[in-house]
């Protein structure tokens, strides 16, 4: 990813937490946003912890270039 990423899900998103490879929380976005701007983050590997309103969670790895 370079700047914007799209999250494809049929469920409504309640929050997305972004963690670095050290496990540190670097950003939290609340609300049903399916597009996120990662341009403020440094290049590297990040993990998105996506939580839906149904309390389902998905952990996704992304590489910011």
């Amino acid at each position: 990813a370079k700047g914007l990423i799209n999250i494809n899900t049929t469920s409504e998103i309640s929050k997305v937490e972004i963690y670095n490879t050290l496990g540190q929380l670097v950003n939290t976005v609340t609300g049903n946003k399916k597009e996120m701007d990662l341009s403020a983050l440094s290049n590297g590997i990040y993990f998105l912890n996506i939580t839906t309103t149904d309390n389902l969670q998905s952990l996704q790895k992304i590489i910011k270039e």
Side-chain angles (χ1 to χ4, degrees):
K2 291 192 179 191
L4 294 176
I5 61 166
N6 292 308
I7 301 172
N8 294 321
T9 178
T10 56
S11 299
E12 188 172 327
I13 297 171
S14 64
K15 86 176 156 180
V16 177
E17 297 169 316
I18 303 173
Y19 293 90
N20 63 17
T21 55
L22 299 175
Q24 299 168 325
L25 181 65
V26 294
N27 196 4
T28 301
V29 178
T30 57
N32 192 28
K33 296 186 179 179
K34 303 222 176 185
E35 183 175 270
M36 295 185 63
D37 185 6
L38 302 179
S39 59
L41 297 176
S42 300
N43 291 351
I45 299 172
Y46 294 91
F47 297 93
L48 301 181
N49 185 25
I50 303 164
T51 305
T52 67
T53 55
D54 306 336
N55 284 327
L56 300 174
Q57 290 189 341
S58 175
L59 186 65
Q60 302 293 318
K61 179 174 119 177
I62 59 168
I63 299 173
K64 165 76 170 50
E65 297 178 335

